[in-house]
């Protein structure tokens, strides 16, 4: 009976660990208690989007197994590294990777700093991931960051998902889509949030036309004077 009880505890722990990888712990706890998860408004968060440069053409020249293997290697690399930062991985869609800081647990004004350091780490890390049919080839990342308010909540019943909504999400996505290979494109709001520490190397990109937003003054995040990315 003692052995069966221990087995049951282990299985329950495995199920909880898996659930916590899919949903924030606070949300998972409410769902397990059959409680309704209320949507929440956040005044300031920082959102990161990235995708792989030329992924469509790379995938077209790979076998299905190679595509899955390549993305799995990439996401295992990224997932391992983001554990060093106060961030929450929202989702992956194909080659797109979305991370947020400042929710579900608020962290004051640290969200921009956490995402900035993480993004520098991921841009450096992507070079470690190979392309299966191109031994000398290496993946390149295009990244974008924006800071602002958003709403977060659980959507769906069959497979509940913790989703973010609001213009901040759209703008962060636009920062990524208008970025360049191995560049981190940040908005003015993120730039101002990072100025508080005076620790970042940032270069003015200038005004660019952003779909749905008009002209926006944006910047390139180049590095951090006091922080070097993990090896």
């Amino acid at each position: 009976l003692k052995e069966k009880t221990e087995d049951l505890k282990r299985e329950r722990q495995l199920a909880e660990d898996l659930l916590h990888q899919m949903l924030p712990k606070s949300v998972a706890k409410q769902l397990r208690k059959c409680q309704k998860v209320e949507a929440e408004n956040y005044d300031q968060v920082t959102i990161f989007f990235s995708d792989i440069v030329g992924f469509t053409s790379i995938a077209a020249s790979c076998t299905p197994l190679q595509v899955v293997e390549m993305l799995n290697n990439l996401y295992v690399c990224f997932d391992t590294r983001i554990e060093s930062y106060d961030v929450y991985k929202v989702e992956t869609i194909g080659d797109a990777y979305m991370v947020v800081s400042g929710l579900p647990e608020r962290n004051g004004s640290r969200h921009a700093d956490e995402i900035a350091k993480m993004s520098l780490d991921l841009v450096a890390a992507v070079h470690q991931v190979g392309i299966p049919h191109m031994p000398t080839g290496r993946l390149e990342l295009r990244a974008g960051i924006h800071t602002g308010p958003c709403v977060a909540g659980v959507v769906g019943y069959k497979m509940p998902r913790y989703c973010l909504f609001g213009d901040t999400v759209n703008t962060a996505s636009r920062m990524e889509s208008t970025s360049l290979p191995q560049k981190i494109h940040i908005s003015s709001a993120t730039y101002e949030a990072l100025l508080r520490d005076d620790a970042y190397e940032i270069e003015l990109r200038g005004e660019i036309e952003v779909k749905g937003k008009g002209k926006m003054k944006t910047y390139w995040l180049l590095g951090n004077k006091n922080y070097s990315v993990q090896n």
Side-chain angles (χ1 to χ4, degrees):
L1 183 63
K2 186 179 179 182
E3 285 179 5
K4 290 290 183 186
T5 304
E6 288 300 318
D7 287 343
L8 183 61
K9 281 182 180 178
R10 277 194 294 270
E11 290 298 323
R12 180 176 290 176
Q13 189 60 52
L14 283 170
E16 283 192 9
D17 290 345
L18 181 61
L19 186 60
H20 292 160
Q21 288 175 30
M22 299 168 68
L23 293 165
K25 286 184 180 181
S26 56
V27 171
K29 188 176 179 181
Q30 291 178 70
L31 289 175
R32 280 204 310 275
K33 292 180 178 179
C34 298
Q35 296 175 348
K36 184 180 178 183
V37 181
E38 297 290 341
E40 200 166 348
N41 186 65
Y42 294 86
D43 293 332
Q44 284 282 293
V45 301
T46 298
I47 299 173
F48 167 93
F49 274 96
S50 72
D51 75 354
I52 298 302
V53 178
F55 177 75
T56 304
S57 58
I58 293 171
S61 59
C62 292
T63 66
L65 189 60
Q66 286 174 330
V67 173
V68 173
E69 182 186 1
M70 179 174 62
L71 284 180
N72 186 57
N73 289 341
L74 178 70
Y75 292 155
V76 167
C77 173
F78 282 9
D79 291 350
T80 304
R81 284 174 175 267
I82 69 171
E83 288 177 0
S84 302
Y85 308 96
D86 183 12
V87 300
Y88 174 71
K89 175 184 166 185
V90 182
E91 63 182 350
T92 55
I93 304 172
D95 64 316
Y97 198 80
M98 179 183 180
V99 184
V100 64
S101 182
L103 67 77
E105 304 301 327
R106 291 173 172 82
N107 57 5
S109 60
R110 290 191 298 111
H111 46 87
D113 181 52
E114 293 292 323
I115 287 287
K117 286 188 292 191
M118 179 210 75
S119 64
L120 291 166
D121 198 345
L122 298 191
V123 166
V126 74
H127 277 315
Q128 296 180 14
V129 183
I131 303 172
H133 65 296
M134 296 169 60
T136 58
R138 284 293 178 266
L139 296 177
E140 289 188 311
L141 205 66
R142 180 170 46 225
I145 305 173
H146 180 55
T147 301
C150 84
V151 170
V154 175
V155 174
Y157 170 70
K158 289 283 187 183
M159 191 182 289
R161 289 176 61 192
Y162 187 68
C163 298
L164 311 187
F165 305 94
D167 187 59
T168 300
V169 179
N170 299 332
T171 304
S173 179
R174 297 293 185 213
M175 290 298 99
E176 178 273 314
S177 63
T178 53
S179 187
L180 295 173
Q182 290 300 103
K183 290 278 197 177
I184 303 166
H185 191 203
I186 66 173
S187 66
S188 293
T190 302
Y191 168 72
E192 287 167 12
L194 293 176
L195 277 183
R196 296 168 192 154
D197 294 336
D198 191 31
Y200 287 93
E201 296 171 25
I202 299 172
E203 181 183 277
L204 175 66
R205 183 183 190 180
E207 283 197 346
I208 63 163
E209 190 69 33
V210 178
K211 186 178 177 183
K213 303 292 295 180
K215 287 194 178 296
M216 287 184 69
K217 188 177 182 181
T218 63
Y219 301 81
W220 297 120
L221 174 61
L222 304 178
N224 187 304
K225 303 167 192 172
N226 310 317
Y227 176 81
S228 58
V229 298
Q230 302 169 42
N231 186 346

